[in-house]
Amino acid sequence: MEQGEVRRLLKDTFSISQDADFIVHQPAIHEDVYSYKYEDGPGPNTQDLIFDLTHGSNTPWNAKILDMLVKELQKRNVEEQSDGYYKAILEDRYKWLRMAWRAAQPKVTAKGILETVAEVEERLVTKRDENLKSVCQTTRRQNKYICRAKILQHVIKLKKDDEDDDLPAWMWLETLIKTLGDGGMSSEESDVGNDLQCVLWVKKMAWHHGIE
């Protein structure tokens, strides 16, 4: 419940519908952050909260924002929790939002120049597609494992009822599948083996007649 409320609070505060939307967040101005830390500056604007995304959550600027968000969570939640509990959740969410933002910042290319906007977008799309493919493959492996485990369980039950001689072999196979787990299942889109080439060799049999 608290996790969901934290997400809703961040969405309302920063006008985002998902973490990926945070990549357009404009970080706090360095001079304002410096002034608040060393020169008794005014600090974050309560009406327009802006994180200092160049640093983690423990800096005076970001800690002040998190304290403001904690107080807002205390107002929203019927079930009271300690400030430390809410702050820990908010710090974790800030970490993920900052990671999303940093991933969208231009990086230095192999040529020693910063990426263009188009190159950044292409990199993010490629990374997203890779993540989606990985999730799909993991799901396939999990489904395949569950299916095989259920089939083996059913077969072994039938073998026990009929007292079949090959029951030990099926029980060994069930143990093997459980040992491998879903990580040991092959993916339908596995890249392994795609570069293998099938070669056919003619066997020389003693009874073959030599033909030129």
Side-chain angles (χ1 to χ4, degrees):
M1 179 178 178
E2 286 80 6
Q3 293 279 358
E5 193 59 51
V6 167
R7 289 179 180 273
R8 283 189 288 273
L9 173 61
L10 294 175
K11 288 178 180 179
D12 295 341
T13 303
F14 299 105
S15 300
I16 58 175
S17 59
Q18 54 186 351
D19 290 357
D21 298 336
F22 199 74
I23 63 176
V24 298
H25 184 78
Q26 295 297 319
I29 299 173
H30 173 72
E31 288 75 10
D32 293 342
V33 175
Y34 182 91
S35 175
Y36 179 66
K37 183 176 181 180
Y38 297 106
E39 301 173 355
D40 198 26
N45 183 354
T46 57
Q47 303 302 316
D48 184 21
L49 295 181
I50 301 176
F51 278 115
D52 172 23
L53 294 170
T54 57
H55 296 91
S57 60
N58 294 326
T59 61
W61 182 279
N62 289 333
K64 179 65 175 179
I65 293 178
L66 292 177
D67 288 340
M68 295 178 183
L69 294 174
V70 166
K71 292 179 180 177
E72 182 60 29
L73 275 175
Q74 292 284 17
K75 294 178 183 178
R76 291 190 178 199
N77 277 351
V78 177
E79 299 180 6
E80 291 190 4
Q81 297 284 357
S82 67
D83 290 356
Y85 175 79
Y86 285 128
K87 191 167 185 178
I89 298 177
L90 284 166
E91 287 177 345
D92 185 64
R93 292 306 308 152
Y94 171 74
K95 179 182 71 174
W96 285 104
L97 291 174
R98 182 170 179 250
M99 286 176 59
W101 180 83
R102 285 167 62 91
Q105 302 312 299
K107 300 182 182 300
V108 178
T109 66
K111 297 180 180 179
I113 59 177
L114 285 178
E115 294 175 319
T116 64
V117 174
E119 289 173 333
V120 172
E121 182 180 1
E122 181 181 0
R123 173 168 55 81
L124 292 177
V125 170
T126 300
K127 183 63 176 178
R128 181 200 63 188
D129 292 343
E130 290 176 353
N131 290 339
L132 288 175
K133 183 177 180 181
S134 176
V135 170
C136 289
Q137 290 180 345
T138 300
T139 302
R140 290 193 191 97
R141 290 191 178 99
Q142 290 174 343
N143 291 339
K144 184 176 291 186
Y145 170 75
I146 293 172
C147 180
R148 288 178 174 175
K150 286 183 177 179
I151 290 174
L152 286 170
Q153 186 179 17
H154 180 68
V155 170
I156 289 174
K157 183 178 182 303
L158 294 177
K159 295 288 182 180
K160 285 182 177 179
D161 292 341
D162 295 338
E163 298 182 353
D164 290 347
D165 295 337
D166 60 350
L167 174 61
W170 285 96
M171 294 179 69
W172 173 85
L173 184 58
E174 182 186 37
T175 302
L176 175 63
I177 293 297
K178 288 183 177 180
T179 301
L180 292 174
D182 52 32
M185 303 297 104
S186 62
S187 172
E188 301 299 336
E189 295 183 1
S190 175
D191 294 330
V192 178
N194 288 345
D195 296 331
L196 296 180
Q197 182 179 4
C198 181
V199 179
L200 300 179
W201 294 88
V202 178
K203 290 185 177 181
K204 294 182 179 180
M205 308 300 291
W207 46 268
H208 273 178
H209 181 72
I211 298 177
E212 296 292 340

